Amino acid sequence: AQSVTQPDIHITVSEGASLELRCNYSYGATPYLFWYVQSPGQGLQLLLKYFSGDTLVQGIKGFEAEFKRSQSSFNLRKPSVHWSDAAEYFCAVGAKGSQGNLIFGKGTKLSVKP
Amino acid sequence: DGGITQSPKYLFRKEGQNVTLSCEQNLNHDAMYWYRQDPGQGLRLIYYSQIVNDFQKGDIAEGYSVSREKKESFPLTVTSAQKNPTAFYLCASSYKGVNYGYTFGSGTRLTVV
């Protein structure tokens, strides 16, 4: 079955520290992978996406993610977290060339300590 | 600017009443989606539509209904049959397929009292 797992429900980091949010997927086809961010009471905003090619993708707001096929992972990273990064982050996967829908993980809530 | 608009932002209804949430997009997207979001449960798909006059049930369609009479519009009705309607509802749209990801609206928070 297709699935996306975000193992960490809630993460707290200090401002200025590095961040890594984990995402593992289970998908039979070649995946398209996405990371979204949601501020409280708002919709989801696309941070970055991976379709093919370079496995390290750059996104908005200084985020990057690395696709590792052997580990079925697409972890999100940021070298130095800012207080404004506090939000909920969702990983999503879809099948290449498919008419199907995106499958979302349950999200990781990020808190930032001053 | 193109985008996807949900209205209203906040909605209060009495138990037993049907209520309709609006979702409009001017992105010329083919597909539209409705999700329900509850704390700790992520996004759960209610209904989706790939083309006008056609829609499919998602994972939690019971107690909800939709229509897709125009490409730009995909309203969601929360009926009195929905046992726990209080939630945050998100609408999204996309081109056919998942290639470009989804564009989300800013959500409607429905409270039923």
Side-chain angles (χ1 to χ4, degrees):
Chain A
Q2 305 153 357
S3 65
V4 177
T5 302
Q6 294 181 245
D8 304 304
I9 297 173
H10 189 185
I11 284 182
T12 300
V13 301
S14 297
E15 191 168 15
S18 64
L19 170 69
E20 182 168 31
L21 301 182
R22 296 183 290 164
C23 173
N24 294 99
Y25 67 91
S26 173
Y27 216 81
T30 302
Y32 283 175
L33 294 155
F34 305 82
W35 274 101
Y36 286 86
V37 61
Q38 184 183 31
S39 297
Q42 298 298 316
L44 278 68
Q45 180 185 18
L46 181 66
L47 280 176
L48 48 79
K49 57 192 176 189
Y50 170 78
F51 291 163
S52 63
D54 193 345
T55 55
L56 184 64
V57 293
Q58 302 298 321
I60 62 171
K61 306 186 181 196
F63 285 92
E64 66 178 26
E66 186 171 13
F67 171 57
K68 293 185 177 180
R69 184 185 299 276
S70 61
Q71 298 177 18
S72 297
S73 70
F74 188 57
N75 295 348
L76 182 71
R77 301 195 295 244
K78 187 169 185 179
S80 177
V81 168
H82 188 262
W83 63 266
S84 60
D85 293 324
E88 190 154 22
Y89 293 80
F90 292 91
C91 181
V93 63
K96 182 177 181 180
S98 169
Q99 296 272 335
N101 302 324
L102 285 181
I103 298 170
F104 287 85
K106 290 188 183 286
T108 297
K109 184 176 180 180
L110 173 66
S111 297
V112 181
K113 288 190 299 185
Chain B
D1 284 343
I4 181 167
T5 301
Q6 290 187 242
S7 60
K9 180 94 175 149
Y10 300 96
L11 193 52
F12 295 87
R13 278 295 181 269
K14 290 185 178 178
E15 199 170 326
Q17 290 181 335
N18 291 356
V19 60
T20 297
L21 283 58
S22 170
C23 180
E24 304 272 338
Q25 55 98 359
N26 60 1
L27 299 165
N28 200 32
H29 283 170
D30 306 291
M32 297 186 74
Y33 312 81
W34 274 107
Y35 287 90
R36 171 179 172 141
Q37 193 174 26
D38 298 282
Q41 300 212 38
L43 280 72
R44 293 187 288 169
L45 183 62
I46 305 172
Y47 269 99
Y48 63 100
S49 167
Q50 300 283 354
I51 56 172
V52 175
N53 293 322
D54 189 39
F55 47 83
Q56 283 77 42
K57 293 181 180 180
D59 302 316
I60 56 164
E62 186 175 348
Y64 299 97
S65 66
V66 293
S67 63
R68 186 88 187 276
E69 296 176 2
K70 298 186 301 182
K71 187 175 184 178
E72 301 79 17
S73 178
F74 192 41
L76 173 74
T77 297
V78 184
T79 75
S80 56
Q82 168 51 232
K83 289 184 171 50
N84 297 298
T86 294
F88 189 57
Y89 291 89
L90 284 164
C91 181
S93 67
S94 72
Y95 293 110
K96 274 188 185 174
V98 302
N99 300 24
Y100 299 95
Y102 295 173
T103 300
F104 283 84
S106 57
T108 293
R109 182 163 300 281
L110 172 64
T111 303
V112 176
V113 294

